[in-house]
Amino acid sequence: MKNDDSIWLIWTEKDIKNKTEKGLHELFRFKGVIFDIRNISQETKMRLEEKQKVKVYYDGILNESAPSQGEAIKIEVLD
């Protein structure tokens, strides 16, 4: 999921294309990473869509929480 300030990134082999937002929360409740994307270009943010494959570069620091949290430096859309 994404908003203007963050994205929630999960790693899965499961097909999630047909899952609802509620269904995703139930499956991956405390998993993945929430990345702060305030420093990502508006052009890149506009290309981001739910349930797509992306590669996130970050500063190497993840806060311990459930889910973890970090700051994205660069995002590549893979789909």
Side-chain angles (χ1 to χ4, degrees):
M1 281 174 279
K2 87 167 187 155
N3 62 39
D4 289 339
D5 296 332
S6 65
I7 60 170
W8 176 37
L9 188 70
I10 55 172
W11 295 267
T12 184
E13 297 292 323
K14 297 178 182 180
D15 181 11
I16 61 170
K17 295 275 186 196
N18 296 320
K19 297 286 184 193
T20 64
E21 186 173 328
K22 183 179 178 181
L24 289 172
H25 274 285
E26 290 172 4
L27 276 175
F28 303 104
R29 187 175 188 165
F30 299 113
K31 298 177 181 166
V33 179
I34 296 175
F35 284 104
D36 181 320
I37 61 170
R38 286 179 281 187
N39 293 323
I40 300 299
S41 73
Q42 191 63 31
E43 179 184 336
T44 299
K45 287 183 199 181
M46 295 296 291
R47 293 182 57 220
L48 295 175
E49 298 176 12
E50 290 186 359
K51 304 175 188 174
Q52 77 184 153
K53 293 180 183 180
V54 297
K55 184 173 186 176
V56 176
Y57 298 85
Y58 67 102
D59 60 7
I61 301 169
L62 292 178
N63 297 329
E64 292 184 26
S65 59
S68 299
Q69 298 178 21
E71 183 175 344
I73 296 170
K74 178 182 175 182
I75 300 174
E76 293 179 12
V77 176
L78 301 177
D79 280 343

